[in-house]
Amino acid sequence: MVRYRSMSTQLALALVVAAPFSLISPGAVAGENQYPTITGELLIEIENDWTYRSDDPAAEINDLYPTVVLGTSVGLNEHFSLNFEATMEPVEDPTGDRAFEDLGGYLNIITANYDGETFSAFAGKFTPNFGIAWEIAPGIFGTNLNEDYELAEMIGFGGGFNFEAAGVHRISASTFFQDTTFLSNSVGTKRGPVRLSDGGPANTEDFSSFAVALDGEFQRLAGFRYHTAFSSLGEGEGSDARQLGYAIGAEYAFNIGDDLTISPMTEFVYFDNYGGTDGDTAKYITAGIALNFQNWVASTTYQRRDTKLAGLSSDDHVVDFTIGYDFDMGLGVAAAWRGAEEDGVQSEGLGLLLSYAVDF
């Protein structure tokens, strides 16, 4: 599901769910609070996506839908916390015009966390630290392709180690498998549950999959962040090889004057044995830039996906142009144009987004 978030909203959500690309621990945020504490954010979005031109007339549809994300952190003391994220959104792809249909709710994050000065650990249902473009690429349609490699809703455990070397850096690692419990289903419109027989990388019900990453920032380059990661996903039923993934990305937010912030980002991700099939490959390239001027946000993002499956090559791309305005009370409005070519089908579309975020 595509979401457009301002930089401040992205950071707030990252802190709530302890996103691995953040170098700030919940303990540090809590400070001298009396325990237990409950903090979080409620994000409500209403989005309308209209494909007004396509080589495939059946794809010329209008989709109006809400997305509601509730992230909550329960601080038990300075170092231990319980973290939850619940989402309601359409859980099926549209087949024609629709409005507020196919909605399902589910829990995508449930973790117990320990966060110390240099060491952290967690266990539960989470998103392993691999890739950043699926989360930070700007624009309403900025994650249409790169969200393919988000390792969402895995069960396992992991940890991280913080160290200083001309800045703050973090090494993290986790081991996991795809959630096949009742939590892989949803209330309302059913989306599952996921079963072991469904196959696919990491759908193994054992800890044969893992991801390691290095994230950091430098003192002499304020606003710059980097990410490198490797993932190895176990063979699910029907697979004949481990899927190996390599990611490298960065984001740099710098100020020009008092009111203008420019934030370019880029990421390259490569997969060997893509989808668990020996010899298949895929690579993803994302490049985007956002300009924040006072309450205005303008951005553009280019995504490219090149795959080679069963010896056949295909090239897809999506271009996004978005402009939005964030009101001081937490309300945001945005509009976007999308141009794409996927599976040889060219299309153009418009998007409108109304969002509201509440911190507590």
Side-chain angles (χ1 to χ4, degrees):
M1 184 57 59
V2 178
R3 304 190 183 104
Y4 175 78
R5 297 173 182 160
S6 66
M7 185 180 302
S8 60
T9 303
Q10 288 177 345
L11 178 59
L13 281 179
L15 293 177
V16 168
V17 301
F21 200 44
S22 172
L23 300 179
I24 305 175
S25 71
V29 174
E32 300 298 327
N33 289 338
Q34 298 296 315
Y35 294 95
T37 62
I38 299 179
T39 58
E41 182 180 70
L42 174 65
L43 177 64
I44 302 172
E45 298 179 338
I46 298 177
E47 183 170 341
N48 191 87
D49 298 337
W50 174 39
T51 301
Y52 62 83
R53 190 198 68 79
S54 175
D55 292 343
D56 177 9
E60 295 178 355
I61 62 175
N62 191 78
D63 189 13
L64 174 63
Y65 58 91
T67 301
V68 180
V69 181
L70 174 62
T72 306
S73 180
V74 180
L76 304 178
N77 57 38
E78 185 178 359
H79 299 295
F80 289 94
S81 64
L82 303 176
N83 296 273
F84 309 89
E85 185 176 90
T87 300
M88 183 191 73
E89 62 182 2
V91 294
E92 296 180 358
D93 293 330
T95 56
D97 291 348
R98 69 177 180 182
F100 296 91
E101 299 176 16
D102 303 322
L103 300 178
Y106 56 92
L107 281 169
N108 47 300
I109 292 178
I110 310 173
T111 62
N113 292 59
Y114 168 82
D115 290 274
E117 288 285 336
T118 59
F119 175 75
S120 65
F122 63 88
K125 181 175 178 177
F126 65 103
T127 301
N129 187 10
F130 180 83
I132 56 173
W134 55 264
E135 175 63 19
I136 72 168
I140 291 179
F141 304 112
T143 61
N144 275 188
L145 298 182
N146 49 51
E147 65 183 356
D148 289 354
Y149 54 83
E150 176 187 1
L151 298 177
E153 299 189 65
M154 301 292 177
I155 291 178
F157 59 92
F161 176 76
N162 299 332
F163 65 95
E164 295 186 7
V168 181
H169 312 270
R170 178 178 180 83
I171 297 175
S172 62
S174 61
T175 182
F176 49 85
F177 56 86
Q178 183 70 52
D179 179 18
T180 54
T181 71
F182 70 96
L183 293 175
S184 65
N185 207 340
S186 54
V187 297
T189 300
K190 304 299 182 183
R191 60 169 189 169
V194 177
R195 303 187 185 280
L196 185 65
S197 58
D198 293 334
N203 187 3
T204 59
E205 294 187 347
D206 62 34
F207 296 109
S208 59
S209 300
F210 67 90
V212 294
L214 174 64
D215 301 279
E217 52 194 43
F218 298 98
Q219 293 175 347
R220 294 184 178 273
L221 199 58
F224 176 81
R225 304 187 300 164
Y226 70 87
H227 169 82
T228 61
F230 170 75
S231 64
S232 178
L233 306 187
E235 303 170 26
E237 292 189 18
S239 300
D240 56 13
R242 298 180 66 87
Q243 176 180 290
L244 306 178
Y246 310 83
I248 181 169
E251 178 187 36
Y252 184 27
F254 58 93
N255 298 325
I256 297 180
D258 296 330
D259 297 324
L260 179 62
T261 300
I262 300 178
S263 305
M265 63 77 58
T266 186
E267 181 170 72
F268 174 77
V269 175
Y270 178 80
F271 292 100
D272 197 12
N273 303 327
Y274 185 59
T277 301
D278 186 28
D280 286 357
T281 62
K283 64 180 179 181
Y284 293 78
I285 299 172
T286 304
I289 185 169
L291 284 75
N292 293 67
F293 178 73
Q294 297 178 354
N295 290 52
W296 289 94
V297 182
S299 67
T300 182
T301 298
Y302 173 80
Q303 306 161 71
R304 183 179 178 89
R305 176 180 61 199
D306 297 338
T307 59
K308 185 176 181 180
L309 309 177
L312 300 177
S313 298
S314 65
D315 303 324
D316 304 320
H317 71 267
V318 174
V319 179
D320 166 279
F321 293 94
T322 295
I323 186 168
Y325 187 87
D326 293 327
F327 295 90
D328 293 336
M329 82 287 274
L331 178 68
V333 293
W337 176 84
R338 175 185 188 270
E341 181 177 343
E342 300 175 81
D343 297 324
V345 177
Q346 295 185 356
S347 64
E348 296 179 7
L350 297 174
L352 295 174
L353 178 66
L354 179 68
S355 62
Y356 184 67
V358 180
D359 296 317
F360 60 89

